Amino acid sequence: MITNCVILAEPQGTGIAPVALELATLARGISEQVTAVVFDVDAQAAAETLAVYGVTSVVSLGDTSSHLPGVPVADAMREVVDRVGANAVFVAQSYTGRDVLARLSVLLDAPVLTNAVNVREDDGGLVVENLVFGGEKVVSSKITAPIQLIAIRPKSVAAEAAPSATQPSVTEQSVSANSQANRAVIVSSHVEERQGPKLDEAEVVVSGGRGLGNADNYRYIEELANLLHGATGASRAIVDAGWVPYAYQVGQTGKTVKPNLYLAVGISGATQHMVGMKGAKNIIAINKDKDAPILQIADLGVVGDAQKLLPRLIEAIRQKTGA
Amino acid sequence: MKVAVCVKQISDPSEAQTIDPTSMCLNRGAKAILDDSDAYGVEIALRLAEVAGGAEVVLISMAPNQEVQGVRTGLAMGATSAVVVSDPQLAGADALTTAKVLASVVKRIDADLVIAATESTDGYTGTVPAQVAALLGWPALTFAKQIELRGSTLSIQRQTEDGYDVVEADLPGVVSVTAGVVEPRYPSFKGIMSAKSKPVEQLSLGDLGLSVAIDEKVLAVNDAEARTAGQIVEDDGSAEAEIMNYLAQIKVL
Ligand SMILES: Cc1cc2nc3c(=O)[nH]c(=O)nc-3n(C[C@H](O)[C@H](O)[C@H](O)COP(=O)(O)OP(=O)(O)OC[C@H]3O[C@@H](n4cnc5c(N)ncnc54)[C@H](O)[C@@H]3O)c2cc1C
Ligand SMILES: Cc1cc2nc3c(=O)[nH]c(=O)nc-3n(C[C@H](O)[C@H](O)[C@H](O)COP(=O)(O)OP(=O)(O)OC[C@H]3O[C@@H](n4cnc5c(N)ncnc54)[C@H](O)[C@@H]3O)c2cc1C
């Protein structure tokens, strides 16, 4: 039986990341007590949000932003796990989540289950579901260790408010920053500005891949996204080629998106791309090759040359909307 | 300086992947290759070694049956030597177990810097590098899209959700690198020839003084909800009309 679950509610901007609410939703479904660990945010404001999702207590680590979170946050979470007697820990499959979970697994000498898309209770233990082969198969697995350390892919479950809000206690816990391992110092931070809605929150995502031919043609993607009030995305191939920044990447190692419409242009549909966009409600794909895997999952597939079709499509939308 | 590069040897991902119904592990193809993700790590290590003026680059790999096919590719690129750990007890090893093996090899060869990829192509837990660092008590500089070594200070550009951070730490340390960070060199003919005679040390768990217990169990593998193909049209010069219709139907326009 899972009685105590600790979740990592990592920061994003000035608040907690939306994925924290997904973790809270999952956690309260299997565990009576849910403790959320927060850092680098206003703890009271975070607690108010988390209360809506049924979190029963909040532990704030204060400001850790001068160091990479892996070491200090994992050290503190280990103390929390011991104190509350947790038997499960949920983090997001994100940069922070991965670094923290990895270190926590060593501190607790317990294995990790990663890339989970669902967690359910079964026979007193937890069964974790993963998608493999680009989402073709679901693998169900179980950890037999006394504590379950699980990383959950963002956007795998919907965040849902609890039937009634809780009143979580908020406690402060200091982090010990003098460990030998805690030497990774953040010297400076650089933000790549982008316009329009956020990639993982947009209702429409227009993505381009290598089939665009060259970096300059990405302007068609930007124009389409702009006309459809959407966000721009990309395959890893063109991120690696330096056409667009990494923040645009959709897929296993990029963002997971679940928009109303995903428009994929010149993207083949590699398994690692598909896991990031298969949850879209509607998929339109434009590809020169009628055998491209992306066409097998598209609701509307157009076999054709993107460079010829995109200018016509942009023109047609302009005419219709008067933009 | 000694740089250890973690290299995973995997089945060719371009071949169809299957899961063995009894062991519930991935079936291994006949041919093992160097995980593409790790080619970046090898390249980075070789460049850092050149800058540092002749550091040793040692490839470390845990693989079934003393596998060396993938390691040879890294040696052909220019690495100095390799250590491969194989043991029947490691079948189905999880990420933490793998990290224990790799960390113990790092100690044994007394490396100052460990380079790994941010995640492997086949298992992609993305936790092994930070687990290795934790086991060694070293910092983990993860998700590096650029890396520099100034004296004994590592400086990386670490990928973040919306840009990058500059992160620094003194050696020893572990760095995980993203793909695309550098262009891996192709092994030259000379490199391929000399790789054949480069030293590869083969170790078992006993040699490392380790024993392992695997606490993870796959229960079932089922088909996921499938998404099926919808309508497919050829662009005869007017396919934009089809797209416009669809956009109207789903009320995007
Ligand atoms: C560990 C790991 C993690 C990864 N993570 C990700 C990830 O997060 N996201 C991701 O996207 N990838 C990821 N990848 C890479 C992935 O495997 C593919 O290599 C990548 O998605 C391919 O990008 P692409 O579709 O743009 O390019 P390609 O596969 O080269 O496809 C280009 C497509 O464009 C079509 N085309 C060509 N010309 C035209 C034209 N004129 N008009 C229309 N179509 C045209 C072609 O038919 C082809 O289908 C990962 C790989 C690994 C190993
Ligand atoms: C579909 C699938 C899902 C899995 N899910 C899990 C899971 O949830 N939890 C879990 O603990 N295990 C899981 N495994 C097993 C895990 O993939 C293997 O145990 C593997 O040995 C280590 O993990 P990784 O490849 O995922 O490492 P990652 O952390 O993704 O690898 C990062 C880097 O570490 C280095 N590295 C990793 N393995 C080796 C190696 N054998 N030799 C040298 N360097 C290496 C490489 O540089 C690699 O790029 C899964 C395996 C599969 C096939």
Side-chain angles (χ1 to χ4, degrees):
Chain A
M1 258 282 286
I2 300 298
T3 48
N4 255 303
C5 184
V6 174
I7 66 170
L8 178 62
E10 62 181 86
Q12 179 181 307
T14 53
I16 52 173
V19 66
L21 310 179
E22 300 165 12
L23 300 182
T25 305
L26 259 183
R28 74 160 196 267
I30 54 155
S31 171
E32 251 165 54
Q33 301 294 319
V34 180
T35 304
V37 173
V38 302
F39 59 99
D40 297 351
V41 290
D42 177 342
Q44 289 301 335
E48 273 168 42
T49 311
L50 290 162
V52 178
Y53 294 86
V55 164
T56 50
S57 58
V58 172
V59 178
S60 168
L61 310 182
D63 182 1
T64 70
S65 60
S66 59
H67 287 71
L68 285 188
V71 176
V73 175
D75 282 358
M77 277 185 92
R78 190 253 176 99
E79 282 177 41
V80 174
V81 163
D82 286 349
R83 192 169 63 236
V84 305
N87 31 29
V89 175
F90 294 174
V91 305
Q93 182 87 23
S94 60
Y95 301 131
T96 297
R98 274 159 58 170
D99 279 4
V100 170
L101 198 72
R103 224 166 243 279
L104 193 57
S105 83
V106 170
L107 293 173
L108 297 168
D109 195 23
V112 296
L113 265 170
T114 59
N115 288 297
V117 295
N118 193 21
V119 179
R120 55 192 162 80
E121 193 152 22
D122 183 63
D123 231 357
L126 289 185
V127 173
V128 176
E129 293 177 358
N130 282 74
L131 291 179
V132 297
F133 306 159
E136 260 173 52
K137 299 265 177 204
V138 190
V139 175
S140 305
S141 19
K142 198 168 194 162
I143 298 179
T144 48
I147 182 153
Q148 326 262 327
L149 305 179
I150 301 170
I152 293 158
R153 291 191 62 86
K155 292 242 158 89
S156 301
V157 296
E160 279 168 27
S164 58
T166 47
Q167 285 189 316
S169 60
V170 179
T171 47
E172 304 277 334
Q173 182 175 320
S174 59
V175 298
S176 49
N178 53 7
S179 126
Q180 250 301 96
N182 196 23
R183 290 185 280 112
V185 178
I186 301 178
V187 179
S188 59
S189 289
H190 303 260
V191 173
E192 285 150 356
E193 294 294 340
R194 55 185 302 184
Q195 282 154 1
K198 290 185 70 140
L199 181 54
D200 47 0
E201 290 165 14
E203 277 296 290
V204 173
V205 174
V206 185
S207 283
R210 189 141 49 193
L212 287 172
N214 58 54
D216 188 43
N217 284 337
Y218 195 79
R219 70 177 191 279
Y220 293 130
I221 301 294
E222 286 168 339
E223 204 159 343
L224 265 180
N226 188 22
L227 286 168
L228 299 174
H229 310 291
T232 49
S235 71
R236 188 168 101 177
I238 74 167
V239 171
D240 286 354
W243 298 3
V244 295
Y246 172 81
Y248 288 48
Q249 185 173 314
V250 172
Q252 183 179 300
T253 43
K255 296 269 181 342
T256 302
V257 300
K258 277 198 174 172
N260 178 27
L261 171 66
Y262 189 82
L263 175 51
V265 184
I267 292 178
S268 58
T271 55
Q272 297 94 350
H273 187 78
M274 307 252 244
V275 292
M277 44 67 72
K278 257 186 97 175
K281 211 151 165 204
N282 298 285
I283 299 173
I284 303 181
I286 300 174
N287 199 298
K288 206 169 71 173
D289 172 10
K290 66 174 188 358
D291 296 321
I294 191 98
L295 295 176
Q296 284 159 26
I297 63 155
D299 300 291
L300 174 63
V302 181
V303 180
D305 184 341
Q307 289 172 43
K308 296 201 180 109
L309 176 55
L310 291 182
R312 280 188 269 127
L313 177 61
I314 288 169
E315 190 47 37
I317 298 175
R318 281 227 176 91
Q319 285 199 353
K320 172 138 186 204
T321 60
Chain B
M1 190 177 68
K2 199 182 258 185
V3 186
V5 187
C6 300
V7 295
K8 193 169 184 182
Q9 303 179 79
I10 62 172
S11 301
D12 188 344
S14 64
E15 283 166 19
Q17 289 178 301
T18 50
I19 291 180
D20 182 283
T22 30
S23 73
M24 300 272 189
C25 288
L26 272 188
N27 279 322
R28 294 206 149 242
K31 193 171 179 303
I33 61 166
L34 173 69
D35 188 340
D36 209 27
S37 310
D38 286 324
Y40 297 91
V42 175
E43 179 63 39
I44 286 274
L46 293 173
R47 291 191 192 187
L48 290 177
E50 280 156 22
V51 173
E56 240 182 278
V57 175
V58 183
L59 308 178
I60 65 179
S61 187
M62 180 186 107
N65 312 323
Q66 284 86 31
E67 183 60 72
V68 291
Q69 292 180 84
V71 159
R72 290 278 176 221
T73 305
L75 291 173
M77 287 171 72
T80 322
S81 61
V83 179
V84 175
V85 183
S86 294
D87 200 295
Q89 275 191 62
L90 289 168
D94 67 314
L96 181 60
T97 305
T98 306
K100 286 177 181 172
V101 169
L102 296 174
S104 114
V105 175
V106 171
K107 271 193 216 145
R108 181 184 166 102
I109 66 171
D110 198 20
D112 320 282
L113 170 61
V114 177
I115 294 181
T118 49
E119 65 250 314
S120 67
T121 299
D122 60 351
Y124 57 90
T125 64
T127 54
V128 167
Q131 285 168 326
V132 169
L135 288 159
L136 294 167
W138 295 358
L141 284 68
T142 46
F143 310 103
K145 57 174 197 162
Q146 213 200 61
I147 151 170
E148 224 183 296
L149 186 62
R150 289 191 303 266
S152 62
T153 304
L154 279 168
S155 176
I156 67 153
Q157 286 184 11
R158 182 181 193 260
Q159 191 64 60
T160 59
E161 300 289 344
D162 52 8
Y164 67 92
D165 288 347
V166 176
V167 180
E168 294 189 352
D170 286 338
L171 290 176
V174 176
V175 179
S176 73
V177 297
T178 62
V181 64
V182 286
E183 196 53 47
R185 67 193 69 183
Y186 282 107
S188 64
F189 180 70
K190 200 168 139 242
I192 295 169
M193 293 316 288
S194 68
K196 292 187 176 142
S197 54
K198 284 183 176 171
V200 178
E201 189 181 10
Q202 295 282 0
L203 300 174
S204 67
L205 277 179
D207 296 328
L208 293 169
L210 287 178
S211 62
V212 300
I214 296 176
D215 297 324
E216 233 163 63
K217 196 170 178 309
V218 173
L219 305 173
V221 180
N222 298 307
D223 288 331
E225 223 177 284
R227 238 194 129 109
T228 48
Q231 185 195 1
I232 296 192
V233 297
E234 292 261 354
D235 181 22
D236 57 359
S238 65
E240 67 276 15
E242 296 287 347
I243 299 178
M244 293 299 284
N245 276 343
Y246 192 86
L247 293 178
Q249 210 181 304
I250 62 169
K251 302 195 170 61
V252 166
L253 273 184

